[in-house]
Amino acid sequence: MSREKREGGGLLLPRRQFVRTVAGSAAMLAGSLAGAGTARAANPDNLPPNEPEWAKALGPGVDATPYGMPVSYEAHVVRRWVPWLTASSESSVNFTPLQDLHGFVTPNGLCFERHHGGRAEIDPADHRLIIHGLVERPIMLTVDDLKRMPSESHFYFCECAANSGMEWRSAQLNSVQFTHGMVHCAQYTGVSLRTLLDYVGLKPNAKWVLAEGADAAAMTRSIPIEKALDDCMVAYGQNGEALRAEQGYPIRLVVPGFEANMWVKWLRRLEIGDQPWYTREETSKYTDLLPDGKARLFTWVMEAKSVVTFPCPEKPLNGPGYYTIRGLAWSGYGRIKRVDVSVDGGRNWQTAKLVEPVLPKCLTRFELPWRWNGEGALVVSRAIDETGYVQPTMYELQKVRGVESIYHNNGQQVWEVKPSGEVENVRLKYAS
Ligand code: MTE
Ligand code: CO
């Protein structure tokens, strides 16, 4: 069957364009991914019925590893970055290795990092959180003060608005880590922002909360008061331990379901006002330019999105047979209700199994058993959230948003599985 036929009259554009336009980076990507997940040949001396090497001598004792690190065989599971994407590493991003993760929690050391002025390394003894502005009783809190208050713990995903931002026009990066890795999911522990705002007492005209970070970028964002009083948190814990410096130690703002830019790290100030602060970030960067030249402003909620993490470019198939297609789905509006998976580019869909727990504003794992017959396939997923919203195709998304924005790309991701088992990022071209 020809590609055109498989596409219902449309054309399948292979990723050749990418190979031509950014050949240097293609070589770089190939280099950085080499060895990732490649199976080594077994040493027969260690296989049954022989006694393996590690069973013949005592292992290291409990004094050997005060803070545990992953086993050396998993050393390829790391955050990666794309040097040509940004001018410097201090104002840049690295990506979560989604292809190597299990379940829905991202280990702290693998959470993607996005800094505007590098990572701040803060002594908590010297850090303060100031809450002032349109409040009855302004306060200055230490980190210990926060820890004396009642705590909450919740799982939330955190996705940069620029996740998949390179992919608006066409298939670009041949890697799920680079196309979708600006998302992580963790259990946050801290104080509910509502508790803090109740404590300082909001004045009647309090409408916005300006959050400011203590990093070199002094990043600031304005959050509407309704959201601040709903489910935001000032977190000091992440996945059971203190926040990592990369994620905002000693405290960060957690703004569930909203774009990660508003999750201010190294939080030092909350100023309550009656209008948003139009910082450079808000007006020039975190808006979505539309085809008519107008821009969408205040597009805070991350809409339903999903991606298949196996198979994917980093995880090819090893011959025909039985597999489990796996992926992640999430929505800033609440719970994932359903995920559909297609192996023919979206012509036919099957409902995937959602792996419990299915939590609101949290990554949700999905799975679908698949017997691969060894023929070319186009694997794609679409998420449906509890509001009934269906993750759009890239074609549907582009019709409404154009291709000028780099933010809020939640279109369906298509992976082409070749008869060799290799997997490539492709874009389906639909007949218009
Ligand atoms: N907060 C401060 N203080 N400085 C920053 O540069 N970057 C923002 C947000 N909070 C940023 C910040 C952006 S754009 C994103 S995507 C998230 O932090 C990234 O959070 P992470 O580094 O924990 O993944
Ligand atoms: Co961001």
Side-chain angles (χ1 to χ4, degrees):
M1 200 189 270
S2 77
R3 279 182 165 170
E4 284 75 5
K5 285 242 178 70
R6 274 196 281 144
E7 279 322 295
L11 279 172
L12 175 69
L13 279 188
R15 230 179 20 85
R16 302 284 169 254
Q17 220 176 337
F18 161 66
V19 175
R20 264 203 309 274
T21 51
V22 276
S25 58
M28 188 283 302
L29 291 184
S32 71
L33 294 173
T38 45
R40 279 182 316 280
N43 175 357
D45 294 345
N46 285 329
L47 294 178
N50 299 329
E51 184 86 324
E53 243 173 280
W54 47 86
K56 293 179 193 159
L58 297 177
V62 294
D63 52 349
T65 319
Y67 193 97
M69 295 298 287
V71 68
S72 61
Y73 301 106
E74 298 292 320
H76 59 280
V77 183
V78 288
R79 299 188 275 230
R80 290 190 163 83
W81 75 302
V82 181
W84 51 263
L85 212 54
T86 50
S88 76
S89 70
E90 292 86 3
S91 184
S92 191
V93 62
N94 60 27
F95 299 84
T96 307
L98 298 177
Q99 70 279 7
D100 285 299
L101 300 185
H102 310 290
F104 69 91
V105 175
T106 315
N108 286 337
L110 296 176
C111 288
F112 82 91
E113 297 167 69
R114 170 78 177 102
H115 313 312
H116 291 73
R119 177 192 73 204
E121 198 93 17
I122 294 177
D123 182 341
D126 298 345
H127 190 74
R128 297 290 181 273
L129 173 63
I130 294 168
I131 309 180
H132 67 133
L134 297 175
V135 300
E136 303 294 344
R137 296 170 295 277
I139 43 168
M140 184 160 79
L141 297 166
T142 64
V143 179
D144 282 343
D145 290 337
L146 287 165
K147 289 182 180 167
R148 287 165 68 168
M149 295 178 183
S151 70
E152 291 186 358
S153 294
H154 301 283
F155 288 97
Y156 294 120
F157 80 82
C158 172
E159 184 185 20
C160 179
N163 199 18
S164 315
M166 296 289 288
E167 305 290 312
W168 268 105
R169 286 164 194 269
S170 59
Q172 287 291 318
L173 299 171
N174 206 32
S175 145
V176 73
Q177 185 164 4
F178 293 137
T179 57
H180 287 76
M182 284 166 84
V183 64
H184 52 64
C185 185
Q187 189 196 41
Y188 294 96
T189 297
V191 181
S192 118
L193 184 52
R194 174 183 267 278
T195 302
L196 294 171
L197 295 180
D198 284 349
Y199 187 72
V200 294
L202 292 177
K203 292 200 167 154
N205 52 341
K207 292 280 179 292
W208 292 84
V209 177
L210 170 87
E212 182 186 75
D215 51 331
M219 223 206 61
T220 50
R221 279 298 300 252
S222 294
I223 290 143
I225 200 76
E226 297 77 22
K227 181 66 177 174
L229 292 171
D230 179 14
D231 54 2
C232 293
M233 298 167 73
V234 174
Y236 44 78
Q238 185 175 332
N239 289 332
E241 62 181 358
L243 287 172
R244 296 285 172 90
E246 299 94 301
Q247 265 67 49
Y249 181 88
I251 49 172
R252 100 174 292 172
L253 195 62
V254 169
V255 192
F258 277 32
E259 61 188 18
N261 184 256
M262 301 168 90
W263 296 47
V264 173
K265 301 190 279 190
W266 310 293
L267 182 69
R268 73 172 173 200
R269 196 165 72 88
L270 294 168
E271 183 177 348
I272 319 304
D274 58 2
Q275 51 191 302
W277 276 255
Y278 288 91
T279 64
R280 230 188 56 210
E281 281 294 333
E282 261 167 322
T283 51
S284 64
K285 289 187 71 195
Y286 286 88
T287 59
D288 310 327
L289 188 56
L290 295 172
D292 63 3
K294 292 187 177 156
R296 299 197 312 153
L297 187 64
F298 297 161
T299 46
W300 301 309
V301 183
M302 302 306 290
E303 293 184 302
K305 184 165 174 177
S306 70
V307 66
V308 169
T309 57
F310 179 81
C312 71
E314 291 96 331
K315 299 285 175 191
L317 298 181
N318 186 16
Y322 180 85
Y323 290 97
T324 302
I325 295 174
R326 288 203 169 83
L328 293 163
W330 60 96
S331 166
Y333 281 104
R335 283 188 174 77
I336 288 296
K337 189 170 77 187
R338 202 179 87 208
V339 177
D340 298 329
V341 171
S342 170
V343 293
D344 58 7
R347 257 190 174 183
N348 298 287
W349 296 94
Q350 282 174 274
T351 301
K353 182 186 86 176
L354 301 184
V355 181
E356 294 289 333
V358 179
L359 301 172
K361 304 175 189 178
C362 186
L363 291 191
T364 297
R365 174 71 64 181
F366 65 86
E367 288 190 352
L368 183 77
W370 183 37
R371 189 169 290 284
W372 183 47
N373 60 11
E375 288 172 17
L378 295 165
V379 178
V380 50
S381 65
R382 73 173 175 209
I384 298 146
D385 71 15
E386 62 183 330
T387 70
Y389 174 91
V390 182
Q391 182 187 0
T393 63
M394 281 310 298
Y395 177 70
E396 288 165 337
L397 197 59
Q398 284 177 354
K399 265 202 302 194
V400 181
R401 303 259 186 87
V403 292
E404 298 304 326
S405 178
I406 57 161
Y407 297 115
H408 302 106
N409 176 359
N410 68 323
Q412 294 169 19
Q413 173 65 51
V414 185
W415 302 128
E416 181 187 9
V417 177
K418 296 162 191 283
S420 65
E422 283 170 301
V423 180
E424 193 172 10
N425 179 7
V426 294
R427 181 63 49 87
L428 304 183
K429 196 174 169 211
Y430 296 82
S432 40

